[in-house]
Structures are given as C-alpha cells and as structure tokens.
Amino acid sequence: MAIKKQYLKSKPVCKVTFTVPADEAKTVAVVGDFNKWNPKKSTLKKLKNGTFKGTFDLPVENSYEFRYLIDGSYSNDGEADRYQWNDYAGTENAVLEI
C-alpha cells in the first residue's frame, strides 16, 4: 500500500493518491473522516496490473483517520503517518497528517 501527497501552491489543498495492491479483490474503497466513512464516495479504480488507485483533494493542516475497505473487510495502511485508537470501531485507525 502506498500514500502519495502532492501539496498545491495555488490552493490550501493536498492531492492524496492511495494505491492498494489487491489482485484478487473486487472492490476497494478508502473511508475516513474526510468522506464521513462513506465507501460510495471513495471507491478506488482497479488498474490492469491488479492495483487499486484513487486521488482525492483534502484540505491541508488537518489530520484524518482512515481505513481501506477491501471486499467488505477493513485494513490499515502500513505507510500511514501514525495510528490512533478508535473506541467506536474498537481498533486502531490509520491517520493521515496533511
């Protein structure tokens, strides 16, 4: 899994690209604070090589809890900036610092 951040000089926005290798998966979405944990707003596109990828514009100077939803199962990103315990989910969420 990979996260790429590209800060824009013209706006207070960061283009964040999420890449998830999941050859066998049918659907992958990234859900988190930035989209109210709604997978319909953040489905990643499957590429020919089996990797799922998507780019989202996120406001800067924030931190966002997130997880991947791979065929209905939640997974954290190993390259997250940090992890934070979430009482509601009863597990740690990955955190993205922008």
Side-chain angles (χ1 to χ4, degrees):
M1 296 181 201
I3 301 169
K4 180 183 172 193
K5 301 175 190 174
Q6 180 183 3
Y7 292 89
L8 302 182
K9 292 181 181 180
S10 59
K11 300 185 219 177
V13 168
C14 180
K15 288 190 171 291
V16 180
T17 301
F18 297 94
T19 305
V20 180
D23 294 343
E24 304 299 319
K26 293 184 179 174
T27 62
V28 176
V30 59
V31 294
D33 295 336
F34 53 87
N35 64 6
K36 298 183 181 173
W37 298 88
N38 185 345
K40 292 180 181 176
K41 294 182 178 180
S42 58
T43 302
L44 304 182
K45 183 179 178 181
K46 188 168 189 174
L47 305 177
K48 290 180 182 179
N49 66 3
T51 300
F52 287 79
K53 192 173 189 177
T55 302
F56 304 93
D57 292 349
L58 302 179
V60 297
E61 298 182 10
N62 286 299
S63 63
Y64 303 95
E65 289 187 36
F66 76 98
R67 298 191 87 188
Y68 295 113
L69 187 58
I70 303 171
D71 288 343
S73 297
Y74 288 100
S75 177
N76 276 333
D77 193 311
E79 295 185 23
D81 295 324
R82 63 183 174 88
Y83 300 92
Q84 182 169 315
W85 181 259
N86 183 292
D87 286 333
Y88 180 76
T91 189
E92 283 187 332
N93 288 335
V95 177
L96 185 62
E97 300 281 354
I98 300 179

